[in-house]
Amino acid sequence: MVQRIFGLIVKELLALFQDKRSRFVVIGPPLIQLIIFGYAATFDVNRVAYAVYDEENSGASRDLLARFEGSRVFRCTGRIHSDEELAKVIDRKQALLVLHVGRNFSRDLFTAPPARLQAIVDGRNSNTAGILLGYVNQIVLDFNASWLPLHGIKPPPAVLQPRSWFNPNLESRWFIVPGLLATLTLVVSIMSVGLSVAREREAGTLDQLLVTPMRSWEIVVGKVVPGLFVAMGEVTLIFLAAILWFRIPFVGNLLALYVGLAFYSLATIGVGLTISSLSMTQQQALLGSFFFLSPAIVLSGFSTPIRNMPEVVQWLTLLNPLRYALVVVRRVFLEGAGFAEVWTEYIPMALIALATLLGAWWVFRRRVG
């Protein structure tokens, strides 16, 4: 029995890497997506075009506005001189932000604080507008902290001092790239295993396999193990790219990461094998795989928090193994978590793996065996 399964494992690995289409599916898309997401997908707001409407043009107003000019977040596109120009700049998207300093700004600093700086933001993109207002508020707070003591004015009794744990520079790449470790592993495991049975059915080798002494569960095991090897190899490739190329710090337990991703890979392999057993051709297997991948990624919390989703959808995410894998990857990568912190995520992934693998075996036996 062991020799039969081992022989099938070797055959599967050879078939996977000798076929051009299968080899491309395993290697090409993950590398392309890693580059695209690693560099292009970002929540950071940088080089934001803004205009200045300074009615006072005093030393205090120039001091405040200089802090925006020196920030890497903002890029000044020019000055305006009337309310009419202000509306046109926003309407035509020539600037996302207009900073309006009133003509009594300096006087109010000394005699009638607080002096007001008006920030007019293009609200058509609400997320970007909210982030911009946060940056503007932080620069104004820094201005107050330095300006008040210099002029003999007592600072406010309570001052907010923000500290960002696990990602001190608030770089979204630190959040996205570790998530790709789980997301791209999902793509590879689903696609590689999802093509296996359909490929053999198209090539006519499946009938030859069925007349051998191998039982249906042995065939399933012989197809699951190569998929696990490929998935863990993909994990290692993306892990090395994350820490060596993208410079994402890894501060957790490496074994805890691999154990969690092994359970996760088994769960996704079960889904891929089920899709493959149901498909008559490789094209159908590809379509079925993509049909599963899109909702799995959307409902995983990869880009949007699960707690922001409707309650019914949140319950649905409990069936998604990617949800738990992302928690393991990000906690181990950035928080320094070990087995004690992430073992609770292993349990649902193991249960999903058991259910999907048994389901794949049942479907294979009914449809093929």
Side-chain angles (χ1 to χ4, degrees):
M1 180 189 68
V2 175
Q3 290 180 342
R4 292 196 300 266
I5 295 177
F6 180 76
L8 181 58
I9 292 172
V10 173
K11 182 190 78 69
E12 284 295 314
L13 291 173
L14 291 175
L16 182 63
F17 288 102
Q18 285 180 347
D19 181 68
K20 290 183 179 179
R21 287 178 297 180
S22 300
R23 189 166 61 242
F24 173 77
V25 166
V26 172
I27 300 175
L31 291 178
I32 294 172
Q33 291 181 61
L34 179 63
I35 294 173
I36 292 176
F37 279 95
Y39 284 104
T42 177
F43 302 124
D44 298 336
V45 178
N46 294 313
R47 306 291 294 166
V48 175
Y50 77 98
V52 172
Y53 182 19
D54 187 359
E55 293 188 271
E56 185 180 62
N57 196 27
S58 64
S61 66
R62 288 194 297 269
D63 183 16
L64 175 58
L65 294 173
R67 296 173 183 270
F68 289 89
E69 295 175 6
S71 171
R72 64 179 178 85
V73 176
F74 297 99
R75 174 177 57 88
C76 184
T77 59
R79 292 177 174 267
I80 57 180
H81 304 89
S82 66
D83 293 336
E84 292 76 13
E85 290 184 68
L86 187 154
K88 292 179 180 178
V89 165
I90 295 292
D91 290 343
R92 297 172 182 175
K93 296 187 177 181
Q94 297 173 346
L96 293 178
L97 169 70
V98 174
L99 298 174
H100 179 202
V101 181
R103 57 174 55 92
N104 297 321
F105 180 76
S106 297
R107 186 195 68 184
D108 292 342
L109 281 175
F110 291 98
T111 61
R116 299 186 182 276
L117 169 69
Q118 188 177 32
I120 300 95
V121 184
D122 186 344
R124 282 169 283 201
N125 187 328
S126 58
N127 290 332
T128 301
I131 295 173
L132 282 180
L133 290 175
Y135 286 146
V136 170
N137 185 63
Q138 186 60 49
I139 291 178
V140 172
L141 289 176
D142 292 341
F143 170 79
N144 290 337
S146 61
W147 189 88
L148 292 174
L150 289 176
H151 294 81
I153 302 175
K154 292 182 179 180
V159 179
L160 179 66
Q161 293 184 343
R163 293 181 60 190
S164 302
W165 285 13
F166 314 125
N167 188 356
N169 295 322
L170 297 178
E171 296 185 21
S172 60
R173 185 176 296 174
W174 286 26
F175 177 79
I176 291 175
V177 173
L180 292 176
L181 189 62
T183 305
L184 296 183
T185 301
L186 171 68
V187 175
V188 170
S189 56
I190 289 287
M191 299 298 289
S192 60
V193 179
L195 294 174
S196 60
V197 177
R199 181 179 59 244
E200 293 211 41
R201 184 182 277 116
E202 281 188 344
T205 58
L206 184 60
D207 293 333
Q208 299 175 11
L209 188 63
L210 293 175
V211 299
T212 64
M214 298 190 70
R215 287 165 285 186
S216 59
W217 71 267
E218 294 176 354
I219 297 175
V220 170
V221 172
K223 291 184 176 295
V224 168
V225 174
L228 182 61
F229 286 161
V230 171
M232 300 313 291
E234 193 72 27
V235 166
T236 303
L237 176 64
I238 301 173
F239 174 79
L240 293 175
I243 62 175
L244 299 178
W245 183 262
F246 292 104
R247 303 294 182 182
I248 310 298
F250 180 80
V251 295
N253 187 309
L254 184 62
L255 184 59
L257 176 68
Y258 269 80
V259 169
L261 290 178
F263 283 125
Y264 165 67
S265 298
L266 289 173
T268 57
I269 288 169
V271 175
L273 190 56
T274 302
I275 294 172
S276 184
S277 300
L278 291 171
S279 304
M280 300 300 295
T281 64
Q282 292 190 69
Q283 184 179 16
Q284 291 178 358
L286 283 172
L287 292 175
S289 299
F290 280 115
F291 179 78
F292 174 80
L293 286 172
S294 296
I297 294 174
V298 171
L299 298 178
S300 65
F302 174 73
S303 58
T304 56
I306 292 177
R307 61 181 176 271
N308 292 349
M309 301 177 185
E311 188 174 354
V312 175
V313 178
Q314 292 186 38
W315 282 100
L316 187 61
T317 63
L318 297 175
L319 302 175
N320 186 4
L322 182 55
R323 166 186 175 151
Y324 308 102
L326 288 175
V327 174
V328 172
V329 169
R330 286 168 174 161
R331 293 202 64 186
V332 172
F333 241 94
L334 300 178
E335 298 180 24
F339 284 101
E341 291 78 20
V342 299
W343 69 270
T344 53
E345 307 297 329
Y346 295 167
I347 296 175
M349 287 192 292
L351 293 175
I352 294 173
L354 180 62
T356 56
L357 290 174
L358 289 176
W361 168 70
W362 183 83
V363 172
F364 180 84
R365 188 179 62 175
R366 294 290 299 269
R367 294 274 298 181
V368 180

